[in-house]
Amino acid sequence: MMTVPLETVISSAIVYREKVEMPSAFRTPTFHLIPQHFLLLSLSHSLDGSASSQKTVSLTDVPATMEFIAAAEVAVIGFFQDLEIPAVSLFHSMVQNFQDVSFGISTDSEVLAHYNITRNTISLFRLVDNEKLDLESKDIEKIDASKLSRFIEINSLHLVTEYNPVKAIGLFNSVIQIHLLLMMNKASPEYEESLHRYQKAAKLFQGKILFILVDSGVKANGKVISFFKLKESQLPALAIYQTLDEAWDTLAIAEVSVEHVQNFCDGFLKGKRLRENHESEEKTPKAEL
């Protein structure tokens, strides 16, 4: 369990380098100062663009809570001892902003005891790396919509997470140190089927590799693509990156298949590289933008 101090992670709209050390390719100018209105937009649609109305689920016992968490890629639960505090209505207001996140609320004493909750807490559970992150009472007392939205947006990592500057913070804070990136244009006719196969492959490496989608149709993402020395003409392509030592490899693919993804990941995990002479290539400096 990891407790995330509000002052460190979501204080104002400024992202501090002390918290996350990222290669320059994964930063954009918006990383330094992110407008608060952007934080409230969140990912209102899932990767396939679908959206549906949802409500906060009332969790009245331990089995129901455990089932709720297990069924979601990302679940956010408000464990409240008092439903009259301002944070409760604020919590409910988040639901429609994050259509790919499941929201639950519980005041049941047995549920709170099961999750070692001793005071008002908002917890985010995610399947991809089995992490639980908490905003505790001292933070909740002074939380506002932009700060709560930011906490959820940063930490909502899925089996396949679409890259954006805010999500990158959560990706580099994860305990999983190997990231696989699929770089392709979401406007491509092959996108839907490619995403389906990519998601299927992601389940094979759950807990080992974070799967990321980089939309090459977004101009700002060109910096990520060029970091891996790829050109638009080589896409779609896979790039795999290890945060610990910045080792990486790439694979241009005619089509996205589970077999291609699996073989590429297995090879990297075994120390095989498709590209040669990485050691002689000039490393991209970790300079802030």
Side-chain angles (χ1 to χ4, degrees):
M1 186 271 287
M2 181 187 298
T3 298
V4 183
L6 187 68
E7 293 80 6
T8 303
V9 180
I10 57 176
S11 178
S12 75
I14 299 175
V15 180
Y16 293 98
R17 186 180 177 186
E18 287 79 5
K19 181 64 182 174
V20 183
E21 180 87 8
M22 281 177 280
S24 58
F26 297 93
R27 309 189 197 105
T28 72
T30 56
F31 249 75
H32 276 286
L33 185 61
I34 302 173
Q36 292 195 357
H37 71 270
F38 172 78
L39 305 178
L40 296 176
L41 293 178
S42 72
L43 290 181
S44 298
H45 299 271
S46 59
L47 284 171
D48 61 4
S50 63
S52 59
S53 179
Q54 61 175 342
K55 297 180 180 179
T56 305
V57 176
S58 179
L59 304 169
T60 57
D61 56 53
V62 174
T65 306
M66 294 176 67
E67 183 178 351
F68 176 80
I69 294 170
E73 286 193 34
V74 179
V76 177
I77 300 178
F79 296 106
F80 295 115
Q81 297 171 323
D82 180 6
L83 291 178
E84 299 303 316
I85 63 174
V88 175
S89 59
L90 187 64
F91 182 83
H92 284 293
S93 73
M94 293 290 108
V95 177
Q96 297 308 318
N97 291 337
F98 295 91
Q99 294 289 334
D100 52 357
V101 175
S102 297
F103 286 81
I105 194 167
S106 182
T107 58
D108 182 79
S109 58
E110 291 185 4
V111 172
L112 270 61
H114 180 80
Y115 291 98
N116 299 314
I117 304 297
T118 58
R119 48 188 182 172
N120 295 317
T121 303
I122 295 175
S123 298
L124 183 146
F125 300 81
R126 62 190 187 207
L127 177 67
V128 67
D129 57 2
N130 199 32
E131 278 281 5
K132 175 178 178 285
L133 301 103
D134 295 336
L135 282 177
E136 295 187 338
S137 182
K138 61 183 178 64
D139 298 324
I140 292 174
E141 290 172 2
K142 54 187 176 182
I143 202 165
D144 60 24
S146 66
K147 293 175 182 177
L148 180 55
S149 178
R150 183 171 176 77
F151 170 74
I152 298 170
E153 170 73 6
I154 287 175
N155 296 299
S156 296
L157 306 184
H158 295 261
L159 286 175
V160 173
T161 300
E162 182 170 358
Y163 171 84
N164 67 42
V166 179
K167 276 287 191 289
I169 306 171
L171 290 167
F172 278 83
N173 273 338
S174 173
V175 295
I176 299 177
Q177 297 181 333
I178 300 178
H179 301 171
L180 179 71
L181 297 82
L182 168 62
M183 291 170 278
M184 75 176 301
N185 195 321
K186 288 179 67 175
S188 166
E190 293 80 26
Y191 169 71
E192 296 293 343
E193 183 59 32
S194 295
L195 176 62
H196 175 72
R197 294 170 183 167
Y198 193 55
Q199 289 172 326
K200 189 174 181 180
K203 295 178 182 178
L204 302 176
F205 295 93
Q206 184 180 328
K208 296 180 181 179
I209 299 175
L210 291 179
F211 277 56
I212 303 162
L213 171 72
V214 179
D215 183 4
S216 61
V218 176
K219 186 177 180 180
N221 290 344
K223 192 172 184 66
V224 177
I225 296 168
S226 63
F227 174 86
F228 294 104
K229 305 190 184 301
L230 289 167
K231 300 176 181 178
E232 288 285 340
S233 60
Q234 294 174 287
L235 304 184
L238 298 171
I240 196 162
Y241 178 87
Q242 186 162 285
T243 61
L244 186 63
D245 59 6
E246 295 190 50
W248 58 271
D249 202 3
T250 57
L251 175 67
I253 49 179
E255 67 173 3
V256 179
S257 71
V258 175
E259 183 179 6
H260 282 150
V261 175
Q262 185 175 5
N263 290 341
F264 183 56
C265 291
D266 283 338
F268 188 85
L269 292 173
K270 293 175 182 178
K272 298 178 181 179
R273 302 290 184 270
L274 297 178
R275 289 174 55 90
E276 297 179 353
N277 302 320
H278 272 189
E279 294 79 6
S280 64
E281 291 179 346
E282 181 180 356
K283 286 190 175 182
T284 303
K286 289 185 176 182
E288 290 286 346
L289 295 177

